[in-house]
Amino acid sequence: MNVTQKTGGILITDCDIDLYKTFDCGQCFRFDSTGEQTFTGVALGRLISIKATEGGFYIDNMSCEEFEKDFVRYFDLNRDYAEIHTALEKAGLHQGALQSGKGIRILRQDPWEALCSFIISQNNNIPRIKKIISSLCVLLGNKIDDGVYSFPTAVQVATAGVEGLAPIKAGFRAKYIIDAAERVADGRLELEKLSNVPLSEAISALCTVKGVGPKVASCVALFGLGHTDAFPIDVWIKRVIDKYYGNSFSPDSFGQYAGIAQQYLFYHERYLSK
DNA sequence: TACCAGGGCCTTT
DNA sequence: AAAGGCCATGGT
């Protein structure tokens, strides 16, 4: 990977990332396609406009320093995905998933945003998940540009309370969101610390939140805490397991990169087959 | 273990 | 245009 300063932004070259797949594979809910190979959204409290180029991408209105500080990690650019591809192939991940997944990077999202987002995702479809999250940001986040709002902090959400969330129409999930917000706000749940404990321990801690079970906890571990061995099992992945691997399946066969295998399998099944 | 919980997207009639 | 299935689930 190489980062060079341009007028008005930075150019990242020599890195293997497919922005379309990365933003559209269901791991994050705040980016939209806003033009030819262009995506706009909010990450880490920052409005981002990013355009795919040959072998990399361009980000408007950002310095190398800011990129190195926050976004190398966000886009997981220090990880060697070619090596992971080889390891997963050896571990028996089928060619279809390897090809479909090529270019996806696991985004390292803010843990609280990941927790809140995947609570909202339960028994829900992606268009509506995005709509509810967007409403939540407009309702309780900070304005960072015209019509653009940050993801509200746990304190901001906790302060609103269940009744305060009514406008976003999260339905039965509202009480779960508030329980999560209260636990994070008062320190009962210390999300940052869960990056540095074993996966099983992180999942147990996350499952103390009402409405958080193994699937949502695994998504938070994978997309917010950097636990690449987390393997969320949802309805799509259940289908995949039945279809390709039978009931002797264990995510352990994919080792420390089971979560990346999961994402490849999910994307393959969800978007490229019917 | 089966059913239930908002709401709305999306496909089928 | 109306109906019904379904949805990156978990609680009871």
Side-chain angles (χ1 to χ4, degrees):
Chain A
M1 181 195 59
N2 234 305
V3 187
T4 48
Q5 188 80 50
K6 299 285 179 185
T7 51
I10 50 172
L11 182 65
I12 292 87
T13 52
D14 189 26
C15 80
D16 180 23
I17 182 169
D18 184 313
L19 293 180
Y20 179 82
K21 291 181 187 177
T22 298
F23 287 131
D24 206 52
C25 68
Q27 64 173 318
C28 73
F29 304 102
R30 296 208 72 199
F31 277 86
D32 290 301
S33 175
T34 50
E36 186 70 19
Q37 287 295 310
T38 304
F39 302 85
T40 304
V42 179
L44 310 180
R46 175 78 154 80
L47 176 62
I48 308 279
S49 182
I50 176 169
K51 186 175 173 62
T53 62
E54 200 69 30
F57 57 91
Y58 178 85
I59 303 185
D60 280 330
N61 190 30
M62 187 179 283
S63 66
C64 293
E65 290 72 26
E66 185 183 2
F67 183 75
E68 297 283 359
K69 180 175 173 288
D70 293 328
F71 291 96
V72 170
R73 185 169 98 145
Y74 182 77
F75 288 106
D76 203 23
L77 295 172
N78 282 334
R79 202 186 297 283
D80 184 350
Y81 276 72
E83 184 184 311
I84 292 168
H85 183 106
T86 304
L88 292 178
E89 188 170 31
K90 195 172 290 181
L93 185 63
H94 69 272
Q95 286 300 324
L98 285 166
Q99 288 312 308
S100 295
K102 191 175 171 54
I104 294 177
R105 279 181 179 261
I106 305 294
L107 298 173
R108 180 67 172 267
Q109 301 176 59
D110 172 72
W112 157 245
E113 179 173 339
L115 173 58
C116 203
S117 297
F118 282 93
I119 287 172
I120 290 169
S121 79
Q122 66 169 288
N123 190 229
N124 212 345
N125 53 61
I126 288 173
R128 195 164 82 106
I129 295 165
K130 292 177 87 164
K131 185 184 277 185
I132 292 172
I133 291 173
S134 171
S135 301
L136 176 67
C137 295
V138 172
L139 183 69
L140 300 175
N142 301 325
K143 184 175 179 180
I144 56 180
D145 206 330
D146 288 339
V148 182
Y149 295 83
S150 64
F151 197 92
T153 63
V155 172
Q156 287 174 315
V157 174
T159 302
V162 175
E163 302 78 13
L165 287 189
I168 71 172
K169 298 187 174 182
F172 62 88
R173 305 165 192 86
K175 55 186 180 292
Y176 303 155
I177 295 168
I178 295 303
D179 186 55
E182 288 175 345
R183 284 171 190 272
V184 172
D186 68 22
R188 277 175 293 162
L189 183 63
E190 297 184 282
L191 290 173
E192 273 72 17
K193 289 191 177 173
L194 300 181
S195 291
N196 302 312
V197 303
L199 174 63
S200 59
E201 197 177 313
I203 288 178
S204 300
L206 290 163
C207 287
T208 60
V209 177
K210 257 184 241 154
V212 175
K215 192 276 176 184
V216 170
S218 297
C219 285
V220 177
L222 179 59
F223 302 126
L225 298 173
H227 286 288
T228 56
D229 49 339
F231 193 93
I233 298 178
D234 71 326
V235 289
W236 295 95
I237 292 296
K238 279 197 186 78
R239 277 174 220 155
V240 168
I241 292 171
D242 291 343
K243 189 166 160 186
Y244 299 104
Y245 298 97
N247 39 17
S248 61
F249 174 82
S250 166
D252 295 341
S253 61
F254 296 123
Q256 63 177 323
Y257 297 122
I260 297 173
Q262 190 273 6
Q263 200 58 197
Y264 287 9
L265 285 163
F266 179 83
Y267 187 77
H268 182 69
E269 190 69 12
R270 177 77 174 76
Y271 291 91
L272 299 178
S273 54
K274 297 208 172 176

